[in-house]
Amino acid sequence: MSTVDQNQRRRRGTGLIALDAERAFAGYTLFAPLTGGGAVHLIDLRGEDVHTWRLPYRPGRHARILPGGDLAYNGVLPGEKALFPMWHKYRGGVLGVYAPDGTLLREHRDPLQHHDAHHLDDGGILYTALEPLTGTEAAAVRGGVPGSEAAGGTVWADTIKEVDAEGNEVWSWRAADHLDREAFALHPDYAREHWPLINSVTPLADGTILASLRSVSAVVVISRTTGEILWRTAPGTVSQQHHPTELRDGNFLVFDNGVFRPGHDVPYSRVIEIDRAGTITWEYHDPARESFFAPFMGSAQRLPNGNTLVTDSPAGRLFEVTADGLLVWEYVVPYFGGYEEAEVRGLFPAEPNAVFRAYRYAADELPWLEAGR
């Protein structure tokens, strides 16, 4: 047996890689390793763990801190069957809020929930879920690889749901009702098992809904009143993107993965800021573009000092850049492990250190942490 570690990411080094303490935004970074079994880590700028939650479910994507300091966490509901091979990779189903000591405060369950869940200030949750399309409804979905539907010719289509603090559904939206099949066709190289693959959903300041439709490469704004699409990125602006968020001036910050980017033979990822006219007003990519490429997952957070925290999800690499594109902090997640489900482990046999999203928090957003120090 070789004495050389065969895991390239681990071999390159983990933990704190770089720090410019004068330019980095002071605070704590939160992340949940996707194969960590339920561990959620909070680290300081020097990469030291300052707090860890040990939760009973593998992460159904990510965790974040709510106003007041509690933890919102999407866990994988145990015992569910795979609707299609990739389902176990990004499903959730257990939407919980936990105290700093790990005590469960409230929980909502939906076995069809996946990717994202936004916990609202009133205790409600806005989240993405699935419903099955069969027969003529499935056939009406355009694009994708012919014959690649899920079992029984099913196309699993996205829904968005909002529940109140008691778990009662108060609003819902169906892709099947509101998306034009031609304008929102699957990329021809994508499986037809899931359409249009909404990987992010969040409320905007004006009450509308911002969503990322990965497999059709579109970011959209949805009317909560009528369900219609009020705004979308022009075709070619983003490619298989993730995690659009609204900035203070109304622009959108987007992690643009760059898979199948039109007009580019070498793929690369970037973070962009888009105004409501559809113009890209800011962009970050690595000086050597090809060295930063995340083919799936990823996130970006605009920090109060104008810097941007970027999550290079597949590589477990978290880094912060200034408005001028200078890297001022970098950390590689040191927690590696395999996926439990055979379907996912077959697709991703190596032991990843991947995280879906990371978030940076100022000290005053974690009053319990500062009180205990």
Side-chain angles (χ1 to χ4, degrees):
M1 180 177 289
S2 174
T3 59
V4 175
D5 188 344
Q6 298 304 298
N7 189 309
Q8 179 194 128
R9 291 169 182 160
R10 187 166 52 209
R11 191 170 64 242
R12 288 182 173 183
T14 62
L16 183 68
I17 304 299
L19 172 62
D20 182 337
E22 292 185 358
R23 295 189 180 187
F25 177 71
Y28 302 93
T29 305
L30 183 81
F31 61 89
L34 290 178
T35 57
V40 181
H41 299 272
L42 188 68
I43 62 171
D44 62 19
L45 276 186
R46 300 196 174 276
E48 299 295 328
D49 268 284
V50 297
H51 190 79
T52 302
W53 289 261
R54 302 288 179 182
L55 303 179
Y57 311 106
R58 175 170 77 80
R61 301 288 87 180
H62 66 291
R64 70 183 183 96
I65 300 292
L66 299 177
D70 291 330
L71 182 81
Y73 177 78
N74 305 329
V76 174
L77 185 63
E80 295 296 306
K81 294 181 180 180
L83 303 177
F84 44 86
M86 282 292 288
W87 178 235
H88 282 322
K89 176 70 160 56
Y90 52 65
R91 71 181 180 89
V94 185
L95 313 179
V97 175
Y98 298 84
D101 66 359
T103 300
L104 177 65
L105 302 177
R106 59 184 182 273
E107 181 181 271
H108 176 71
R109 294 190 172 202
D110 184 338
L112 294 179
Q113 184 269 332
H114 68 90
H115 275 96
D116 203 9
H118 188 94
H119 292 252
L120 305 169
D121 293 342
D122 62 4
I125 312 173
L126 183 74
Y127 65 90
T128 53
L130 289 184
E131 65 170 353
L133 301 183
T134 58
T136 57
E137 276 200 314
V141 173
R142 297 289 178 258
V145 177
S148 61
E149 291 84 358
T154 302
V155 173
W156 289 90
D158 284 303
T159 65
I160 301 174
K161 296 182 179 182
E162 182 181 341
V163 295
D164 63 18
E166 286 72 46
N168 303 305
E169 187 175 304
V170 296
W171 182 82
S172 65
W173 179 91
R174 300 178 67 232
D177 285 341
H178 297 289
L179 290 188
D180 180 279
R181 304 301 195 272
E182 298 295 340
F184 294 93
L186 288 166
H187 187 280
D189 291 318
Y190 265 81
R192 289 174 52 80
E193 61 196 14
H194 186 176
W195 169 80
L197 209 164
I198 298 179
N199 56 33
S200 179
V201 61
T202 185
L204 297 179
D206 63 3
T208 55
I209 305 296
L210 180 68
S212 167
L213 285 54
R214 184 194 179 196
S215 296
V216 301
S217 291
V219 174
V220 301
V221 174
I222 300 168
S223 168
R224 187 186 289 269
T225 303
T226 66
E228 66 182 308
I229 303 300
L230 302 175
W231 181 91
R232 70 162 290 175
T233 48
T237 304
V238 291
S239 299
Q240 319 300 305
Q241 75 297 320
H242 284 74
H243 197 216
T245 55
E246 184 180 30
L247 302 178
R248 291 180 180 179
D249 60 3
N251 289 355
F252 299 131
L253 188 71
V254 183
F255 187 99
D256 182 23
N257 294 74
V259 182
F260 306 123
R261 190 188 305 284
H264 292 262
D265 60 344
V266 176
Y268 65 93
S269 295
R270 61 182 182 170
V271 177
I272 57 175
E273 185 176 331
I274 309 172
D275 66 20
R276 297 299 180 106
T279 301
I280 295 175
T281 61
W282 180 83
E283 177 177 344
Y284 169 80
H285 55 76
D286 195 276
R289 292 193 185 202
E290 70 282 355
S291 71
F292 169 35
F293 175 52
F296 47 86
M297 305 188 291
S299 71
Q301 176 193 5
R302 179 60 49 82
L303 302 173
N305 67 349
N307 290 356
T308 301
L309 179 69
V310 183
T311 305
D312 180 356
S313 296
R317 175 176 171 251
L318 320 177
F319 62 97
E320 179 185 348
V321 296
T322 67
D324 295 328
L326 297 176
L327 189 145
V328 295
W329 182 82
E330 184 176 15
Y331 173 89
V332 175
V333 172
Y335 308 105
F336 293 79
Y339 284 101
E340 297 174 2
E341 299 89 349
E343 296 92 339
V344 185
R345 191 143 194 168
L347 295 168
F348 300 91
E351 293 190 342
N353 62 337
V355 297
F356 189 60
R357 294 181 191 163
Y359 293 95
R360 176 77 52 79
Y361 296 97
D364 61 8
E365 296 178 273
L366 301 160
W368 51 266
L369 178 65
E370 292 301 299
R373 294 173 72 84

